[in-house]
C-alpha cells in the first residue's frame, strides 16, 4: 500500500517500462520540493530512460531556471529546452523594475538551437491577485510574439484563466505550434483546442480519482493532438501522489491515458513520440 501522506523525500519505485519510448514534454530538473536536494540530472535521465522515457523537455520558467536550461541541454543529448518567465514571475519582476532586462535575457536564451519552445508562459489567476492581471496578460502577449518571431513552439500555463488564455491566443494569433501544458479544461475547451490545432499535454492529474471531468475532456482529444508530461517535481501520478515527481513516472500517466482513450499502450506511445518530434523537432 502507498501512503498518501508520505514526505516528498520518499522515492517511488520504478513503474513497469513502456513498450515504446516516449517524451516527457515538460519537466523542471532545476526545482526541488520540500527542502529536498535538487535532482541529480544524469541520474534522473538514466532512471527515465530505463522505463522508456528517453527524451525530455527541460523547462526553465524564471531567469535562474532559464540559465540552468541553457547549460544542461548542451550537456545531455536527451534534453531539449523551453524558457520563459512564468506568469507568476512577471508581476514580481515588474514591481522590482526588472522585467525589461529579464525579457532581454529570455529572448537571448530562447535563440539557442536546442531551446525549442517558449514556455511556460500564460496566465495564473490562482496565485496572482487582481492587481497582477494586466501585467500577466502583457507578459503572455510578449511571449506569444517571441515564439512567433523565433518560429518556436509555445508552452502555456493556464490556471483559473481558461477564458482569457483562449481569448488572448485568438486576439494575438497563436504560434503555429501551441501546447496547453498540464491541460485542465473541460470538454468544451478540449474541443476548441482541437479545432484550433493546439496540442493538449497530459500530466499525472489524469490518474487522480477526482479527475473524472478531466478524463471526460481528454476523451474528446484525438491521439494526434496529445502529449504527455510530468511537470516534475509536481503533480505526481497515483499511486505516488505526495511523493516527488520525476520523468521516470511518466509510464503511470501514459497507461492511465491509454485507458481514457481506449487504445493499447503501444499505439499511444507511438503517437506521443511522433507528436513530440512534430512539436519540438528531432533531439
Amino acid at each position: 500500500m502507498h501512503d498518501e501522506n508520505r514526505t516528498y523525500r520518499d522515492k517511488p519505485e520504478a513503474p513497469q517500462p513502456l513498450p515504446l519510448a516516449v517524451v516527457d514534454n515538460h519537466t523542471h530538473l532545476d526545482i526541488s520540493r520540500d527542502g529536498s536536494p535538487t535532482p541529480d540530472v544524469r541520474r534522473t535521465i538514466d532512471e527515465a530512460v530505463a522505463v522508456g522515457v528517453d527524451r525530455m523537455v527541460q523547462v526553465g520558467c524564471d531567469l535562474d531556471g532559464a540559465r540552468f536550461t541553457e547549460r544542461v541541454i548542451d550537456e545531455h543529448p536527451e534534453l531539449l529546452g523551453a524558457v520563459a518567465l512564468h506568469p507568476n514571475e512577471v508581476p514580481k519582476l515588474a514591481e522590482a523594475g526588472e522585467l525589461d532586462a529579464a525579457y532581454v535575457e529570455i529572448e537571448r536564451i530562447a535563440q539557442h538551437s536546442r531551446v525549442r519552445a517558449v514556455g511556460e508562459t500564460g496566465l495564473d489567476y490562482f496565485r496572482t491577485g487582481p492587481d497582477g492581471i494586466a501585467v500577466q496578460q502583457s507578459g503572455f502577449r510578449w511571449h506569444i510574439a517571441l515564439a512567433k518571431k523565433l518560429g518556436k513552439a509555445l508552452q502555456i500555463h493556464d490556471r483559473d484563466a481558461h477564458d482569457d488564455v483562449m481569448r488572448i491566443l485568438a486576439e494575438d494569433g497563436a504560434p503555429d505550434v501551441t501546447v496547453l501544458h498540464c491541460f485542465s479544461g473541460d470538454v468544451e475547451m478540449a474541443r476548441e483546442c482541437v479545432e484550433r490545432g493546439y496540442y493538449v499535454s497530459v500530466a499525472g492529474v489524469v490518474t487522480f480519482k477526482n479527475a473524472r471531468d478531466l478524463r471526460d475532456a481528454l476523451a474528446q482529444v484525438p491521439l494526434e493532438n496529445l502529449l504527455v508530461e510530468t511537470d516534475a517535481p509536481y503533480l505526481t501520478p497515483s499511486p505516488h501522489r505526495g511523493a516527488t515527481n520525476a520523468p521516470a513516472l511518466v509510464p503511470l500517466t501514459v497507461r492511465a491515458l491509454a485507458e481514457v482513450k481506449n487504445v493499447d499502450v503501444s499505439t499511444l506511445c507511438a503517437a506521443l513520440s511522433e507528436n513530440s518530434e512534430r512539436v519540438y523537432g528531432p533531439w
Side-chain angles (χ1 to χ4, degrees), residues 87-196:
N88 290 328
E89 279 291 301
V90 170
K92 297 176 188 176
L93 291 165
E95 186 175 357
E98 299 171 356
L99 183 56
D100 288 343
Y103 282 155
V104 169
E105 185 162 6
I106 290 295
E107 181 166 0
R108 177 190 67 78
I109 297 172
Q111 295 177 64
H112 189 296
S113 63
R114 291 184 62 76
V115 171
R116 303 288 176 78
V118 172
E120 63 192 274
T121 179
L123 302 174
D124 189 321
Y125 295 167
F126 179 77
R127 296 193 184 281
T128 297
D131 291 346
I133 288 178
V135 71
Q136 270 200 7
Q137 292 186 358
S138 176
F140 185 25
R141 293 180 192 275
W142 182 87
H143 286 90
I144 291 170
L146 179 64
K148 291 193 288 188
K149 176 181 177 180
L150 300 180
K152 302 202 175 187
L154 184 74
Q155 278 206 11
I156 294 172
H157 173 101
D158 165 24
R159 189 167 188 184
D160 294 352
H162 300 328
D163 290 346
D164 281 351
V165 163
M166 297 298 278
R167 174 181 59 80
I168 289 172
L169 286 170
E171 288 175 356
D172 286 33
D176 290 341
V177 180
T178 297
V179 178
L180 272 296
H181 139 68
C182 188
F183 181 80
S184 59
D186 58 12
V187 168
E188 182 179 351
M189 183 175 176
R191 288 172 174 160
E192 185 172 359
C193 286
V194 172
E195 289 172 2
R196 296 189 187 189

Side-chain angles (χ1 to χ4, degrees), residues 40-51 53 56 78 248:
D40 179 278
V41 174
R42 185 67 256 165
R43 180 181 300 172
T44 299
I45 292 171
D46 290 344
E47 290 172 348
V49 171
V51 296
V53 185
M56 288 139 258
E78 299 89 349

Side-chain angles (χ1 to χ4, degrees), residues 13-50:
E13 62 187 40
Q16 180 183 355
L18 293 168
L20 297 172
V22 301
V23 173
D24 178 355
N25 102 109
H26 190 110
T27 191
H28 302 281
L29 300 178
D30 56 308
I31 297 178
S32 62
R33 290 191 66 170
D34 194 42
S36 300
T38 302
D40 179 278
V41 174
R42 185 67 256 165
R43 180 181 300 172
T44 299
I45 292 171
D46 290 344
E47 290 172 348
V49 171

